[in-house]
Amino acid sequence: MERQDVIKLFGYWKSAGLKPPVSASSMEGQESMVRTFLDQYRDLTGEQVQYLRNALCRLQYWPRFYDVDDALANYRRERDAEQKKPITQASPAGLRKSAKLWAWTKWKLRQHRDIIPYMPTHNEILLYGQKMGLNRNEIVSNYRLLQVILNDANYCTAVGEEDIGYKVYVNPDREVCFSVTTAKGFEPNRMIQVDHDPLVANPKLANFL
């Protein structure tokens, strides 16, 4: 904490309507108040100063050292409670989707193939999802996967290829999946240990693309 930080802090409290003590009515008194506060709280971080600024401006009087110490104790309690919160775990479905997308991305990088020029439109993704028998919520859940599938389809159309290198299906959990193929080096489902046979999961969609 620097001298200028103390001056800004005091200025904020003044603008909030708090009146400094009478001893700070003169320039010498103001300088003494700044110096004393800085000596007492020189080690405060910017985050702590911000906390004090907001927490103590609601007082009906100019903050005393007791008020500052009490606010800092509250800050530490809140910070400790935040750090002890359990880390939210991603859902299994979310992890599977991330694995598929990462596998697809690595495949494109190995191919040195542009991605952006072949991105489908929002309406194309919705229509494709509907053709696969997905409802609107399922389309939203699988949106990025549908996007990369259509990206490959658009690329193949542009370069005159008939096969995108894998089959697409919807498993019993209503997740869009790719069938395992090594023809073009793309094995997303093997990476995430998909247990469903695509033909059993949805025979009509096994040859969708």
Side-chain angles (χ1 to χ4, degrees), residues 15 19 41 58 63 83 103 106 114 120 129 135 173 178 192:
S15 67
K19 295 182 179 181
Y41 301 107
R58 296 188 290 269
Q83 291 176 345
K106 289 195 295 184
D114 287 336
N135 62 37
D173 296 322
F178 311 92
I192 58 174

Side-chain angles (χ1 to χ4, degrees), residues 26-49:
S26 64
M27 291 297 296
E28 293 80 3
Q30 293 175 19
E31 180 60 32
S32 175
M33 187 171 67
V34 170
R35 186 170 56 252
T36 302
F37 192 93
L38 183 59
D39 290 342
Q40 185 78 9
Y41 301 107
R42 187 180 300 274
D43 294 333
L44 293 185
T45 65
E47 184 177 344
Q48 289 173 317
V49 173

Side-chain angles (χ1 to χ4, degrees), residues 10-127:
F10 287 176
Y12 184 84
W13 286 343
K14 288 180 182 179
S15 67
L18 303 184
K19 295 182 179 181
V22 177
S23 59
S25 57
S26 64
M27 291 297 296
E28 293 80 3
Q30 293 175 19
E31 180 60 32
S32 175
M33 187 171 67
V34 170
R35 186 170 56 252
T36 302
F37 192 93
L38 183 59
D39 290 342
Q40 185 78 9
Y41 301 107
R42 187 180 300 274
D43 294 333
L44 293 185
T45 65
E47 184 177 344
Q48 289 173 317
V49 173
Q50 182 78 5
Y51 185 89
L52 290 177
R53 190 191 81 161
N54 297 330
L56 299 181
C57 70
R58 296 188 290 269
L59 295 176
Q60 300 300 314
Y61 52 86
W62 191 262
R64 303 160 299 180
F65 285 157
Y66 169 83
D67 301 306
V68 175
D69 292 341
D70 190 51
L72 289 174
N74 285 334
Y75 166 83
R76 286 189 287 269
R77 282 193 293 269
E78 292 176 9
R79 183 194 59 185
D80 291 343
E82 186 68 25
Q83 291 176 345
K84 290 178 181 178
K85 284 184 178 179
I87 298 175
T88 303
Q89 298 294 328
S91 66
L95 292 174
R96 288 193 295 271
K97 180 169 64 176
S98 296
K100 295 173 194 175
L101 292 172
W102 177 233
W104 183 86
T105 301
K106 289 195 295 184
W107 184 33
K108 298 302 108 177
L109 291 174
R110 287 198 300 269
Q111 290 180 324
H112 303 287
R113 198 263 276 177
D114 287 336
I115 295 175
I116 299 301
Y118 307 104
M119 279 298 183
T121 66
H122 176 69
N123 287 337
E124 288 173 338
I125 294 172
L126 292 180
L127 180 61

